[in-house]
Amino acid sequence: MYTSTARVDTADHGDLAKLYWRFRSRHHQIRRLIHLHLKPGAQIVEIGCGRGELGYIMKDDPYGYTGYEPASGLSRFGQQHGVNIIHDFFKPQTAAPADAIVIDNVLEHVLDPQQLLADAVSTLNGGGLAIVIVPNRNDLRQMVPSWRDARHWIPPDHINYFSMSDVRRMFASCGLQATPFGFHALTVRDYRYFPRAVLETAKISLLGHNVYAVKPQPLETGAMLAQ
């Protein structure tokens, strides 16, 4: 589902003087997924990183982090706090290979979400992680008008809305299998999110879509010849 009259630029450029950190539980969950799947030295690329919260909480982790953010105020805020942010759109032609691609609440803002995901996956090394969070067009919380009008149905900023079947098709078109975060990204201290994890494990999607996939390793030349 998408809006029919979308702006070309849906980035929130913001007033630098009024910006502040907005750390969310999902930032820590993304970090745990990365620690769970990747070895030290892995390169993390976040597309549409905003202020750079993920990069900030990972600044002492044994990984390289690069964020791309076209919004001037947001990118400058993160840069001023020591986060490695490139003030530009992500371009696969110039991006370095990555071991994890993070697209956190970004695909709902862009004109061609399928193409952006495909571009991102094209730079992902075999065995790498593709981590995507998008709004759920069937989100249960939209029944509360105050939440719906402030965080969900907010064109012209959000111009795309996704069902889980949409997300799975998008991943499948890139050769990936989308897997909900479930319990993979949680610790005992995250007990508040256990009900959500149970629902995701049962393939019931009532809130936003938090998914990841591991990119298959390319076949070795010898294995291909043997086949």
Side-chain angles (χ1 to χ4, degrees), residues 74-167:
L74 297 178
S75 59
R76 287 173 57 200
F77 178 87
Q79 291 168 346
Q80 291 179 3
H81 288 82
V83 183
N84 181 30
I85 296 177
I86 297 173
H87 175 214
D88 200 356
F89 291 96
F90 172 81
K91 300 181 180 69
Q93 302 88 342
T94 56
D99 300 298
I101 290 286
V102 178
I103 310 177
D104 175 8
N105 281 282
V106 172
L107 295 181
E108 65 268 28
H109 292 273
V110 301
L111 293 175
D112 192 341
Q114 178 67 76
Q115 187 61 56
L116 177 57
L117 179 61
D119 287 344
V121 171
S122 71
T123 69
L124 192 60
N125 291 322
L129 285 177
I131 301 174
V132 172
I133 297 177
V134 292
N136 178 2
R137 76 183 192 191
N138 301 312
D139 196 307
L140 182 65
R141 293 168 292 183
Q142 66 181 301
M143 303 300 292
V144 181
S146 60
W147 183 89
R148 179 191 64 222
D149 295 341
R151 301 185 181 183
H152 191 53
W153 298 110
I154 49 174
D157 296 324
H158 288 184
I159 59 178
N160 301 299
Y161 297 86
F162 307 87
S163 68
M164 180 53 81
S165 60
D166 294 330
V167 174

Side-chain angles (χ1 to χ4, degrees), residues 159-188:
I159 59 178
N160 301 299
Y161 297 86
F162 307 87
S163 68
M164 180 53 81
S165 60
D166 294 330
V167 174
R168 294 188 188 281
R169 283 196 299 270
M170 290 172 64
F171 270 68
S173 72
C174 299
L176 304 177
Q177 181 175 343
T179 301
F181 280 17
F183 287 98
H184 303 289
L186 304 181
T187 66
V188 174

